Amino acid sequence: MINTVKKIFSSTNTAEEVKTSEPVEEIVRKYPNIKSIEIESFKQLNETIAKYENVVLDFWAPWCGPCRMLMSVLEDISYEDNNIVILKINTDENMGIADKLKIKSVPTLVFFKDNIETYRHIGIATKAQILEEFNL
């Protein structure tokens, strides 16, 4: 399985996409500035949610205009050192994950704190709303 991650360069506030077959925990350890990871399996999703304190699942689709707008908000969050790991799930390519989590529309954000789902948000969310959900 290939993971697409964004390697964030905090000094220049730019990102570079990296494709790797490494497990998520190895990616985060190796590249501590990476906060946004494309997920492709339910097993990978569960392992990552269990491992990190604050996780946001971003269910999106390439054809979705509001999803693209939300992407910039999530990228903003990923540039900061705020202890949130963002897992991106393309619903067109990962219908099984979306079905298991009963995702009916995009964009949908699902928030997990300490391995427990705490909140769902359908539609656009602001940076402040996302950070508030984790009291950051």
Side-chain angles (χ1 to χ4, degrees):
M1 169 183 353
I2 301 297
N3 293 314
T4 304
V5 297
K6 288 199 175 186
K7 189 158 87 175
I8 307 298
F9 301 99
S10 56
S11 60
T12 58
N13 222 24
T14 59
E16 168 189 319
E17 279 197 358
V18 177
K19 299 216 185 264
T20 178
S21 59
E22 295 176 279
V24 172
E25 59 274 4
E26 183 63 23
I27 295 167
V28 173
R29 186 192 65 73
K30 191 173 179 182
Y31 304 105
N33 288 338
I34 289 176
K35 300 286 181 132
S36 180
I37 303 165
E38 186 77 28
I39 294 293
E40 296 178 349
S41 78
F42 200 67
K43 179 183 177 209
Q44 182 186 34
L45 176 69
N46 285 330
E47 288 171 354
T48 307
I49 290 171
K51 186 160 181 76
Y52 297 98
E53 181 183 3
N54 298 313
V55 178
V56 176
L57 307 183
D58 172 25
F59 288 90
W60 69 283
W63 48 263
C64 170
C67 295
R68 287 192 301 272
M69 291 168 45
L70 184 57
M71 216 174 277
S72 66
V73 172
L74 295 173
E75 283 179 7
D76 250 8
I77 291 170
S78 72
Y79 286 134
E80 299 173 0
D81 183 22
N82 52 33
N83 199 30
I84 297 175
V85 174
I86 300 165
L87 304 179
K88 302 179 70 49
I89 298 110
N90 179 336
T91 56
D92 286 352
E93 295 176 1
N94 299 289
M95 290 173 151
I97 295 173
D99 286 344
K100 282 185 181 186
L101 291 173
K102 297 179 176 35
I103 303 300
K104 302 295 180 201
S105 61
V106 290
T108 296
L109 299 177
V110 182
F111 297 80
F112 285 83
K113 182 147 184 92
D114 297 320
N115 202 21
I116 298 170
E117 182 179 333
T118 59
Y119 181 70
R120 285 186 182 218
H121 182 89
I122 299 171
I124 297 293
T126 66
K127 179 178 172 182
Q129 287 172 310
I130 294 168
L131 295 177
E132 182 180 315
E133 191 55 40
F134 291 112
N135 297 318
L136 297 173

